[in-house]
Amino acid sequence: MLERTRSSGTPPYTSYRTFKTFIEDLHEHGVPSRIDRSVLTRFSGVVGTQLMHALRFLDLIEDDGRPTERLKGLVNAYATGHWPETLLERLRQEYAPMFAIDLATATPSHFNEAFRRAFPAADAVVQKCVTFFLYAVNDAGVKISGRVLKGRKPRSSTPRRTPAKPAFAHSTIREVEAAPSLPQAPLPPIEGRKPSEMLLAHLDQVRWTTRSKPRSGRC
């Protein structure tokens, strides 16, 4: 079957991660009878619209949202060893003008001229289209010129540093030594004693304890 060459029409300009997340969802839950807003509930309105445009451009759904066999094949290949070749087949067909040049050796000006000539659009849109294309072909295992990728490579996500915990006012916790307990005079047995005798004995004990305490401020 002859490849369908596109010389016009805006390519996908949504995030490639969004596109692949959608394919993953279909892989987990199955391909529905129609792709519409009820299937794109996890995406915002704008992102959902961009995703639908990407699916149509890649010939993965019909104009009325019905999935094509190409979409089913791509979903079945997800997370398998056949994913790169299945994705590459879609990209080669829908981005045929870009594969007409040597992507491995193309200069930035050559690449940009070819892309803009095949898919004319506003500058801001073209940049997003190029980003989607580069992520997609990279995922499909296509070698791209380092000159083209320069300045376009996604920055490695640096893990956020965990903020240091505030230092304690004291590096160590000092143990407070317990003061030696004062000697206690033995209490006399209380069996058979009157309440008044018990009270007097208690007062004697308090006076004795008070006299035993050392007075501060004197030698």
Side-chain angles (χ1 to χ4, degrees):
M1 182 173 57
L2 295 177
E3 290 186 351
R4 176 161 56 96
T5 301
R6 289 182 179 269
S7 58
S8 62
T10 305
Y13 51 90
T14 188
S15 163
Y16 180 71
R17 180 180 298 179
T18 296
F19 171 77
K20 198 166 182 181
T21 297
F22 177 69
I23 298 298
E24 180 183 10
D25 284 349
L26 297 184
H27 180 76
E28 293 179 356
H29 303 104
V31 179
S33 59
R34 188 175 68 177
I35 307 297
D36 52 30
R37 289 302 308 172
S38 63
V39 183
L40 307 176
T41 54
R42 68 176 297 176
F43 304 105
S44 67
V46 174
V47 174
T49 300
Q50 294 176 353
L51 181 57
M52 291 291 288
H53 171 77
L55 295 174
R56 289 192 178 97
F57 180 90
L58 296 173
D59 201 19
L60 299 177
I61 61 174
E62 303 289 352
D63 291 338
D64 60 359
R66 287 183 295 114
T68 64
E69 291 300 320
R70 297 176 181 84
L71 176 59
K72 296 176 182 177
L74 196 61
V75 170
N76 290 335
Y78 180 80
T80 71
H82 299 293
W83 170 259
E85 62 187 65
T86 306
L87 175 62
L88 181 57
E89 181 183 356
R90 287 285 79 235
L91 298 176
R92 282 188 177 278
Q93 183 137 3
E94 307 309 326
Y95 290 92
M98 297 308 301
F99 285 92
I101 67 175
D102 188 352
L103 294 174
T105 61
T107 62
S109 60
H110 186 191
F111 176 89
N112 291 331
E113 288 172 6
F115 201 97
R116 289 177 181 275
R117 183 169 56 251
F119 311 106
D123 289 344
V125 176
V126 169
Q127 292 302 320
K128 294 180 180 180
C129 295
V130 169
T131 300
F132 181 96
F133 174 75
L134 291 177
Y135 270 92
V137 293
N138 178 73
D139 200 21
V142 177
K143 185 178 180 181
I144 304 294
S145 167
R147 295 184 177 90
V148 173
L149 293 178
K150 186 177 181 180
R152 298 181 184 272
K153 291 182 180 180
R155 296 179 180 179
S156 58
S157 54
T158 305
R160 296 181 180 179
R161 295 181 179 180
T162 305
K165 296 181 179 179
F168 290 104
H170 303 285
S171 58
T172 57
I173 300 176
R174 297 180 180 178
E175 297 182 358
V176 180
E177 298 181 357
S181 58
L182 296 174
Q184 302 290 330
L187 294 177
I190 63 175
E191 294 183 1
R193 299 176 65 88
K194 296 179 181 181
S196 59
E197 295 175 341
M198 295 173 59
L199 178 59
L200 291 174
H202 176 69
L203 293 176
D204 291 340
Q205 170 67 15
V206 172
R207 286 195 297 270
W208 188 90
T209 301
T210 303
R211 288 196 302 268
S212 300
K213 290 183 179 180
R215 296 182 179 180
S216 60
R218 292 188 179 181
C219 299

